Amino acid sequence: MKIFIYHTPELTPIDIVPECAIAVDVLRATSTMATVLAAGGEAVQVFSDLDQLMTVSEQWPSEKRLRAGERGGAKVAGFELGNSPLDCTAELVAGRRLFISTTNGTRALKRIQNAPIVLAAALINRASVVKFLLEKQPETVWIVGSGWEGSYSLEDTVCAGAIAHSIWQQTNCSLTEISGNDEVIGAIALYSQWQNDLLGLLHQASHGQRLLGLECLEDLKYCSQIDTLDILPIQQEPGVLKSQNK
Ligand SMILES: O=C(O)[C@H](CS(=O)(=O)O)OP(=O)(O)O
Ligand SMILES: [Mg+2]
């Protein structure tokens, strides 16, 4: 297995696809998606465009859908949910499809949606993603950070590093054998440095500071946990992710 890390959707190649592509948006889109599916959501359907989200979700029975999204961190007017995983309780989401559009995470998923296998990863479901990769053994894996409007984000890179670090530790491969680009070495080093204080790292991150400004400390705490949800969001059709085995 060769792992490649791309820090943003914009840095991700467009003319080829890997066997498996993984979108990461620790703050907060993929953390929210994993939470919704773990709480019994039927599926998560992602949109980069709000008008398209409205058009498609209108065709879904109202009692079976939830609209979620943020712009500038704030909930989109008229939507039931913003982008906080803490709002995605089982009472609210069970059996319903989440139609979601966020600033960065949904763009990353759209960018990789043509790969044969597409996953959504966050720190909270890192172990489930790693387990799948070790069982499936895809030849090439891309881990794509969502970043922030085209620029680097610390929290997505540390999560990519956490995935690569775990694969490296659980195989007999050398670092050179698993790393497809230099970003993998850098991400593993970042994770190794901060693995015992991931919340501290999120406090340092510009996105973490933005969310703290929006009074979202509890979101930071939740998203900084590692391996807490046994859930694998996997794409079933372009833009639609379900829990594996559903
Ligand atoms: O909702 C989020 O955390 C961000 C937007 S902001 O940084 O809060 O303004 O969106 P995401 O697509 O999850 O990075
Ligand atoms: Mg983000």
Side-chain angles (χ1 to χ4, degrees):
M1 187 190 319
K2 271 282 189 214
I3 301 173
F4 295 77
I5 293 174
Y6 299 104
H7 292 311
T8 64
E10 288 75 9
L11 288 169
T12 306
I14 45 173
D15 42 357
I16 48 169
V17 288
E19 191 178 339
C20 176
I22 305 171
V24 175
D25 191 351
V26 170
L27 296 174
R28 295 170 289 178
T30 55
S31 297
T32 297
M33 291 172 198
T35 302
V36 166
L37 295 177
E42 181 265 335
V44 171
Q45 188 161 358
V46 302
F47 297 85
S48 32
D49 180 75
L50 288 173
D51 290 336
Q52 205 192 354
L53 184 158
M54 289 305 290
T55 306
V56 174
S57 61
E58 284 293 348
Q59 294 154 24
W60 207 256
S62 58
E63 71 281 8
K64 293 276 185 193
R65 76 172 179 231
L66 286 167
R67 292 172 179 141
E70 59 65 39
R71 288 296 180 265
K75 189 171 81 154
V76 175
F79 282 19
E80 289 89 356
L81 291 164
N83 189 22
S84 173
L86 300 179
D87 294 335
C88 302
T89 59
E91 294 72 31
L92 185 64
V93 306
R96 301 171 95 176
R97 177 170 294 209
L98 190 82
F99 295 86
I100 184 168
S101 177
T102 71
T103 309
N104 307 294
T106 51
R107 282 174 54 241
L109 275 160
K110 285 298 203 184
R111 182 66 172 239
I112 60 172
Q113 70 178 6
N114 292 329
I117 303 170
V118 174
L119 309 175
L123 290 168
I124 54 178
N125 71 331
R126 186 272 307 250
S128 305
V129 171
V130 168
K131 183 167 173 276
F132 174 86
L133 294 175
L134 291 173
E135 282 169 8
K136 190 87 179 170
Q137 289 290 332
E139 206 169 299
T140 309
V141 177
W142 289 2
I143 308 177
V144 176
S146 299
W148 171 254
E149 294 191 340
S151 61
Y152 177 90
S153 76
L154 215 41
E155 68 277 6
D156 295 339
T157 298
V158 85
C159 181
I163 295 168
H165 182 269
S166 184
I167 299 281
W168 176 42
Q169 296 289 298
Q170 293 187 59
T171 59
N172 290 321
C173 297
S174 68
L175 205 44
T176 317
E177 281 173 289
I178 64 155
S179 62
N181 60 5
D182 286 359
E183 285 86 335
V184 176
I185 314 290
I188 288 176
L190 182 70
Y191 173 71
S192 301
Q193 173 80 20
W194 287 90
Q195 59 183 314
N196 297 320
D197 187 17
L198 291 166
L199 179 57
L201 181 67
L202 296 199
H203 272 87
Q204 297 296 324
S206 56
H207 193 164
Q209 290 180 12
R210 186 178 311 113
L211 288 175
L212 288 171
L214 294 167
E215 300 187 349
C216 294
L217 173 61
E218 294 306 315
D219 285 49
L220 248 65
K221 287 184 186 169
Y222 178 84
C223 295
S224 70
Q225 301 173 102
I226 192 148
D227 302 341
T228 49
L229 291 186
D230 183 14
I231 195 81
L232 185 74
I234 184 163
Q235 183 175 265
Q236 305 291 313
E237 60 186 90
V240 178
L241 293 107
K242 294 190 177 186
S243 164
Q244 196 189 31
N245 305 327
K246 265 198 176 175

